[in-house]
Amino acid sequence: MRLSSLTDGIFKNNAIFKQMLGMCPTLAVTTSASNGVAMGLATTAVLMGSNFAVSLFSGFIPKNARIPCYIVIIACFVTVVDLYMNAYFHALHKALGLFIPLIVVNCIVLGRAEAFASRSPVADSVLDGLGTGIGFTIALTALAVCRELVGAGTVFGYAVAPSFYVPVILAVLPPGAFVFLGFMMAFTRFMSSKIKGGGH
Amino acid sequence: MSGLMLLFVGAALVNNVVLSRFLGICPFMGVSKSSETALGMSAAVAFVMMISSVVTWIIEYAVLRPWELGYLQTVVFVLVIAALVQLVEMVMEKTTPELHASLGIFLPLITTNCAILGVALINVQSDYSFIEMIVFSLGTAAGFGLALVLFSGLRERISFSSVPEIFRDAPIAFITAGILALAFMGFSGLVR
């Protein structure tokens, strides 16, 4: 078990900013910070479950039919999360809507199953799922906080902007999603080039 | 009839599948670097989307609902779509090799295109009738094609301009998509 399986997914191979995977939920649910966190945690749960199962059964899964097997495993965990959220977090489940069942086609989940869990021990795979999930959650939350702050003047529903601030509603509308993600990607690139430049 | 027309326009322009519903972003970003591949991808998506919508709709109403198996929806739909994509590819390879040569490379990518599963789920969650389902899927496929082809045209132009280093490729593409989405918001008055 290596700690790097956990941390790689959070920073070095961040799913959104570095690998550009899982863009649909990223853009769709980040209208408010709480939605972003909820989507991130739901995906993390699926990632840990599917990585665990794929790694556990990797010896039995025939190589030629592995992708359908992975998809079934992932779909099972997505259904579990879907039903669980519907039962205990009904309002959030309604807000995230279609994007809970769509975790099943999130390239991050299948990508980790294929690239990592199928050839790693169980403990590493669970850690990798946790790390990738945390990285995804951090990115979603960061984007959602920015959009909610600019678009509504609130963070997690609490008013933080001064009373004279006029919310720019465009930030929480669809075009805002694309523009904010574009700028955040540019920002992370700028920061990582700074950090690399400092290292030399 | 006018209801169906509104459904089509709503799906194609007002609630555009990519720019307003955020489904199918991966192919939207991945294959939009040239107009030719964008056209091929749109055609492949439209083809698979129609077939998978019809099949998943029939399964929902013929199997899942009568037997109260709604909790298996996600598993069944994603498997059906994965199997269909394989089947379409094999049939295409045998019967129309020239079509397969132009669309073939896009087909495997479609399994993980969330627009296909998304539309299948919207169809049954909105309780569309069979005709409405066909019209909605057609409209969505048309909207996907329109957005993808327009966007690829924009990206072809951007590739000739000097973009600041940190904005190259993905960031500027997302900002461009934002402006395109802004343009599509102009349609929002068309349908309530």
Side-chain angles (χ1 to χ4, degrees):
Chain A
M1 203 158 99
R2 292 170 305 125
L3 200 64
S4 65
S5 352
L6 179 68
T7 52
D8 271 4
I10 303 181
F11 302 108
K12 208 174 106 202
N13 294 323
N14 188 293
I16 293 181
F17 294 126
K18 294 286 165 60
Q19 303 193 30
M20 295 245 306
L21 294 173
M23 283 296 151
C24 302
T26 309
L27 293 163
V29 304
T30 50
T31 47
S32 76
S34 48
N35 283 358
V37 174
M39 187 69 208
L41 293 181
T43 311
T44 308
V46 173
L47 262 168
M48 288 175 71
S50 67
N51 265 10
F52 170 77
V54 166
S55 170
L56 195 63
F57 297 127
S58 57
F60 304 100
I61 295 175
K63 205 165 182 303
N64 296 327
R66 66 187 189 287
I67 300 292
C69 295
Y70 298 162
I71 289 178
V72 174
I73 291 173
I74 295 166
C76 290
F77 283 102
V78 169
T79 308
V80 170
V81 169
D82 190 21
L83 295 175
Y84 182 83
M85 285 187 77
N86 200 358
Y88 295 100
F89 305 96
H90 191 67
L92 268 177
H93 185 267
K94 267 194 119 153
L96 299 178
L98 203 56
F99 286 91
I100 297 283
L102 284 182
I103 295 175
V104 80
V105 282
N106 189 326
C107 341
I108 298 174
V109 185
L110 190 59
R112 292 325 290 173
E114 163 80 4
F116 194 90
S118 60
R119 60 191 72 157
S120 307
V122 175
D124 277 312
S125 302
V126 174
L127 272 187
D128 176 75
L130 181 65
T132 309
I134 293 174
F136 186 61
T137 311
I138 290 175
L140 277 185
T141 312
L143 183 60
V145 165
C146 292
R147 285 182 69 193
E148 193 187 338
L149 185 64
V150 176
T154 59
V155 172
F156 287 103
Y158 297 104
V160 289
S163 55
F164 58 80
Y165 176 72
V166 181
V168 185
I169 300 170
L170 194 65
V172 290
L173 291 176
F178 287 108
V179 174
F180 270 70
L181 185 60
F183 275 104
M184 281 194 82
M185 273 180 169
F187 179 73
T188 50
R189 269 193 201 179
F190 176 71
M191 290 310 283
S192 58
S193 71
K194 277 267 145 140
I195 291 165
K196 268 186 207 141
H200 282 299
Chain B
M1 192 61 214
S2 69
L4 291 181
M5 201 61 214
L6 281 181
L7 190 65
F8 183 85
V9 173
L13 298 177
V14 182
N15 291 315
N16 187 281
V17 59
V18 183
L19 297 170
S20 146
R21 286 188 197 269
F22 302 116
L23 297 173
I25 301 287
C26 298
F28 184 67
M29 287 294 158
V31 299
S32 57
K33 281 195 174 143
S34 87
S35 299
E36 237 167 89
T37 49
L39 266 175
M41 186 68 182
S42 315
V45 165
F47 194 64
V48 175
M49 191 180 277
M50 285 313 297
I51 298 176
S52 70
S53 291
V54 171
V55 174
T56 51
W57 190 91
I58 292 171
I59 287 176
E60 171 78 12
Y61 284 95
V63 182
L64 296 184
R65 291 209 182 171
W67 299 62
E68 293 179 356
L69 294 170
Y71 59 90
L72 285 179
Q73 199 183 47
T74 314
V75 184
V76 171
F77 278 22
V78 76
L79 272 182
V80 165
I81 291 170
L84 267 177
V85 172
Q86 282 286 318
L87 198 68
V88 166
E89 195 180 359
M90 288 192 296
V91 169
M92 219 182 234
E93 202 174 1
K94 283 278 176 231
T95 54
T96 51
E98 58 279 4
L99 196 63
H100 181 261
S102 55
L103 297 187
I105 48 162
F106 302 112
L107 284 170
L109 294 173
I110 289 179
T111 316
T112 50
N113 180 344
C114 50
I116 307 284
L117 182 61
V119 169
L121 288 170
I122 292 173
N123 279 332
V124 296
Q125 281 174 6
S126 324
D127 289 320
Y128 286 147
S129 69
F130 190 77
I131 302 292
E132 284 174 330
M133 176 274 290
I134 297 277
V135 172
F136 182 79
S137 308
L138 267 179
T140 306
F144 183 81
L146 181 66
L148 190 57
V149 170
L150 282 177
F151 187 58
S152 66
L154 289 172
R155 280 190 85 172
E156 279 181 349
R157 295 293 292 267
I158 287 175
S159 64
F160 291 116
S161 53
S162 67
V163 178
E165 179 72 40
I166 55 167
F167 276 101
R168 268 195 207 139
D169 291 332
I172 194 68
F174 275 105
I175 292 167
T176 313
I179 296 167
L180 192 60
L182 199 60
F184 268 71
M185 275 182 72
F187 291 118
S188 59
L190 277 178
V191 180
R192 177 192 57 85

